[in-house]
C-alpha cells in the first residue's frame, strides 16, 4: 500500500508548452494514488462509470466525465481496469504556459476567469461534455501547432459554458504551504485504502505527527469538512458505485462500504443522495438503460 503522497513532476516533451496524453485499453492510466502538481489538468473520460475524487470532494459519475482541476489541488485517478471507459484524454499545462500576461489580455478574459474558478475543480456536463470531449480526442491526429490552437478553443468554450458544477464549492484551501498538500495526501491516500475499516482520529493524528485537536482543526481548515464527514462521504460514494454496478443486496452494500449499522447507512445515504438505496438503484437502472 502506498501511503506516501505523490508530487507529480510533469515535464512537457522538448519543444512543447503543455502535455497531452491519451489512454485506452492498450495503455491504462496507472496514476491512481492521490497526487498533486502545479499544472492545471483537463481530463475527458469517454464513457464508463467511476469515482470522481478532487480535493475533499468525492462523487460518482456515469456515462463518462469532463473535469478541469486547478493548480496543486490533490486528486486521484479517474479510471482503472474496472471503469469500463473507452478512453481517457488528459491535457496538463501551467498557468503561464503561454507567458505571464497572455491570459490577461481582453480576448482571454473568459479563460482567465475559468482558471480562477477551477481552483476547486469543475465538472462539465450536457452538450459541453460531449462537444469538448470530441475536440479533445481529435487532438491525437493534429500537429503541435493545431493542438495549441485547439486547446485555446477548448478552454474558451469551457469559459463560456454554463453546464458545469463546482466540486469544492464550499471551499478547499492550500494557501499556507505546499507541505500541507503532502500532509493531506497522506490522509487521503490512507482513507482511499482503508475506508472499509474503522479509522480513529488518534490514528490519523499520529500519522501526520499532530495532536487530535490540532488534526481536527487542520483538516477542517483545509477541506471545510470534518474528517468524519469526509470518510462517511467516501463510504457513501463507494456504496453508490456498488449499487450501480454489483448484484449485491443493500445489506451487503452497507457492510462492503464500511458501515456497521444498517439503519445508520440508510439514513446517511438518504441525506447524501436524497433517496434511499433501493430508490437510488432503481433510478440509476432507468438512466443507464
Amino acid at each position: 500500500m502506498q501511503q506516501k503522497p505523490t508530487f507529480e513532476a510533469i515535464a512537457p516533451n522538448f519543444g512543447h508548452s503543455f502535455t497531452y496524453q491519451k489512454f485506452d485499453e492498450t495503455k491504462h492510466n496507472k496514476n491512481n494514488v492521490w497526487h498533486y502538481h502545479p499544472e492545471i489538468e483537463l481530463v475527458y473520460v469517454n464513457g464508463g462509470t467511476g469515482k470522481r475524487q478532487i480535493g475533499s470532494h468525492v462523487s460518482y459519475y456515469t456515462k463518462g466525465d469532463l473535469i478541469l482541476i486547478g493548480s496543486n489541488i490533490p486528486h486521484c485517478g479517474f479510471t482503472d481496469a474496472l471503469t469500463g471507459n473507452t478512453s481517457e484524454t488528459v491535457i496538463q499545462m501551467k498557468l503561464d504556459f503561454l507567458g505571464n500576461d497572455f491570459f490577461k489580455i481582453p480576448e482571454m478574459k473568459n479563460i482567465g476567469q475559468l482558471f480562477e474558478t477551477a481552483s476547486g475543480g469543475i465538472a462539465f456536463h450536457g452538450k459541453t461534455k460531449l462537444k469538448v470531449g470530441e475536440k479533445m480526442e481529435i487532438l491525437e491526429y493534429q500537429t503541435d501547432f493545431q493542438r495549441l490552437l485547439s486547446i485555446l478553443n477548448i478552454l474558451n468554450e469551457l469559459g463560456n459554458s454554463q453546464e458545469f458544477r463546482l466540486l469544492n464549492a464550499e471551499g478547499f484551501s492550500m494557501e499556507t504551504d505546499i507541505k500541507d498538500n503532502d500532509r493531506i495526501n497522506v490522509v487521503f491516500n490512507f482513507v482511499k485504502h482503508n475506508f472499509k475499516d474503522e479509522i480513529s482520529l488518534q490514528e490519523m493524528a499520529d500519522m501526520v505527527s499532530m495532536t487530535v485537536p490540532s488534526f481536527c482543526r487542520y483538516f477542517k481548515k483545509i477541506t471545510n469538512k470534518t474528517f468524519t464527514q469526509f470518510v462517511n462521504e467516501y463510504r457513501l460514494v463507494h456504496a453508490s458505485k456498488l449499487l450501480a454496478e454489483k448484484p449485491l443486496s443493500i445489506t451487503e452494500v452497507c457492510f462492503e462500504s464500511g458501515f456497521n449499522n444498517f439503519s445508520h447507512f440508510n439514513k446517511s445515504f438518504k441525506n447524501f443522495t436524497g433517496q434511499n438505496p433501493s430508490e437510488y438503484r432503481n433510478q440509476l437502472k432507468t438512466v443507464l438503460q
Side-chain angles (χ1 to χ4, degrees):
M1 180 180 68
Q2 182 173 356
Q3 291 181 18
K4 187 173 172 60
T6 304
F7 172 83
E8 186 179 3
I10 298 169
N13 294 334
F14 179 77
H16 295 75
S17 56
F18 58 88
T19 60
Y20 162 81
Q21 298 177 85
K22 188 170 182 181
F23 304 96
D24 55 29
E25 59 184 10
T26 62
K27 181 188 177 187
H28 289 293
N29 188 349
K30 296 179 180 177
N31 198 352
N32 286 320
V33 296
W34 286 90
H35 62 282
Y36 65 94
H37 43 73
E39 292 77 9
I40 289 178
E41 180 169 307
L42 180 62
V43 182
Y44 174 59
V45 179
N46 185 344
T49 60
K51 288 179 186 175
R52 181 193 286 140
Q53 305 171 55
I54 298 167
S56 58
H57 173 93
V58 187
S59 56
Y60 180 72
Y61 69 82
T62 60
K63 296 186 178 179
D65 212 359
L66 177 64
I67 317 158
L68 184 64
I69 307 162
S71 176
N72 285 323
I73 288 290
H75 55 283
C76 210
F78 306 106
T79 62
D80 56 33
L82 303 176
T83 310
N85 58 298
T86 304
S87 61
E88 178 183 9
T89 305
V90 180
I91 300 168
Q92 293 159 323
M93 64 216 125
K94 284 194 166 70
L95 282 165
D96 59 353
F97 80 110
L98 292 175
N100 289 327
D101 299 319
F102 183 78
F103 290 110
K104 294 178 184 176
I105 64 175
E107 293 81 1
M108 295 294 119
K109 182 180 177 183
N110 283 345
I111 299 178
Q113 289 176 340
L114 175 72
F115 285 171
E116 287 182 24
T117 308
S119 61
I122 310 172
F124 295 89
H125 57 268
K127 292 180 181 177
T128 301
K129 179 171 76 171
L130 297 175
K131 192 174 178 184
V132 169
E134 286 178 2
K135 288 184 177 182
M136 287 177 66
E137 295 203 310
I138 291 170
L139 293 173
E140 183 178 8
Y141 309 104
Q142 295 181 341
T143 66
D144 293 338
F145 183 69
Q146 287 172 330
R147 277 184 186 173
L148 181 59
L149 295 180
S150 294
I151 288 171
L152 285 174
N153 180 276
I154 285 167
L155 292 173
N156 186 59
E157 190 153 333
L158 294 178
N160 284 308
S161 175
Q162 298 300 312
E163 296 178 308
F164 67 87
R165 174 188 174 195
L166 299 178
L167 300 182
N168 287 279
E170 71 282 353
F172 190 90
S173 173
M174 278 299 175
E175 297 169 358
T176 47
D177 195 311
I178 210 68
K179 279 192 226 171
D180 278 337
N181 230 329
D182 288 337
R183 188 180 279 164
I184 206 74
N185 270 286
V186 169
V187 176
F188 285 172
N189 270 322
F190 187 83
V191 172
K192 174 181 168 65
H193 289 98
N194 298 278
F195 68 91
K196 294 182 184 180
D197 303 323
E198 192 68 37
I199 304 175
S200 72
L201 286 170
Q202 186 65 60
E203 184 178 17
M204 297 312 304
D206 291 344
M207 194 172 291
V208 291
S209 304
M210 299 174 85
T211 64
V212 169
S214 295
F215 171 73
C216 290
R217 285 194 300 271
Y218 160 78
F219 193 88
K220 183 72 182 287
K221 178 188 173 188
I222 295 285
T223 67
N224 218 29
K225 295 180 179 180
T226 66
F227 178 71
T228 301
Q229 181 185 358
F230 175 72
V231 173
N232 279 338
E233 287 183 3
Y234 205 101
R235 289 169 175 162
L236 290 165
V237 170
H238 186 72
S240 304
K241 193 172 188 294
L242 292 180
L243 287 167
E245 299 175 7
K246 302 290 183 184
L248 301 173
S249 71
I250 291 171
T251 304
E252 288 173 314
V253 168
C254 164
F255 292 108
E256 276 292 309
S257 302
F259 290 92
N260 53 22
N261 183 298
F262 186 69
S263 62
H264 174 61
F265 167 67
N266 265 322
K267 184 179 178 183
S268 299
F269 194 90
K270 186 158 189 176
N271 288 339
F272 188 62
T273 66
Q275 299 171 304
N276 65 42
S278 58
E279 289 170 341
Y280 179 88
R281 173 176 266 170
N282 290 334
Q283 185 188 53
L284 205 57
K285 279 180 184 174
T286 61
V287 170
L288 296 176
Q289 281 173 353

